[in-house]
Amino acid sequence: MSYTATLRILDLVATFVFALSGAAVGVKRRLDLFGVLVLAFVAASSGGILRDVMIGVTPPSALSDWRYLAVACLAGLIVFAWNPIVSRLRKAILLFDAAGLALFAVLGAQKALAADLEPFAAILLGALTGIGGGIVRDLLVTEIPTVLRAEIYAIAALASATVVVVGDLLGLPLTPMAIAGATLCFLLRMTALWRRLPIADSR
């Protein structure tokens, strides 16, 4: 499988995971089906759209490839159908959000490197890709974005992107470094929430 195909598959997986997060927030706020689907799509796609625009990929993949919309809507429908369960699973929102943050931060850094951006720029773009969807999601439901309330949210994304970029600079294999970066981000975020650190968002 080619590098480009691998990135596309991972991008779709990340889209699905973050869409679950957006849809779960919609269910929590008692939105109708359309509202849940909108939150699923913006949470899943906003970071990727911002990433693509900044590296010159236009139109962005999320708008030019029907699979992104389909995956986001599928996630939204799944969450909406399980409304009675999801509405009681507050922790599920945080779990999906942490997983989406980890995947998108890694993918953002990888795509930035593939576009020949400098290491520091690739790290920043990776983090921005990770936090973008959550920012838009939170703003649409009139919440202060998590990244502004939880320092470890942004730090986790930066740490994940840094692992990917450093691995690239050292010539290390792509897949293991991507897994390491995503795992680090996820563990940092979930550990902060589990310990209820003052700088972590406990919602």
Side-chain angles (χ1 to χ4, degrees), residues 14 17-18 21 94-108 126-132 134 146-147 152-158 160-161 181-182 185-186 188-189:
V17 173
F18 238 150
S21 167
L94 299 174
L95 180 66
F96 295 145
D97 185 71
L101 177 70
L103 289 171
F104 268 129
V106 165
L107 287 167
L128 192 58
T129 303
I131 66 178
T146 302
V147 69
I152 282 184
Y153 195 85
I155 287 176
L158 286 168
S160 177
C185 178
F186 183 81
L188 282 174
R189 181 73 182 128

Side-chain angles (χ1 to χ4, degrees), residues 82-121:
W82 290 349
N83 187 333
I85 298 176
V86 174
S87 62
R88 294 194 298 269
L89 296 180
R90 172 177 166 273
K91 292 182 180 179
I93 299 175
L94 299 174
L95 180 66
F96 295 145
D97 185 71
L101 177 70
L103 289 171
F104 268 129
V106 165
L107 287 167
Q110 288 181 336
K111 285 205 169 186
L113 291 171
D116 296 324
L117 267 66
E118 294 296 324
F120 183 68

Side-chain angles (χ1 to χ4, degrees), residues 5 10 22 45 75 90-91 93 118 139 143 150 175-176 181 201:
L10 290 175
S45 304
R90 172 177 166 273
K91 292 182 180 179
I93 299 175
E118 294 296 324
L139 289 175
E143 288 186 4
T175 301
D201 174 41

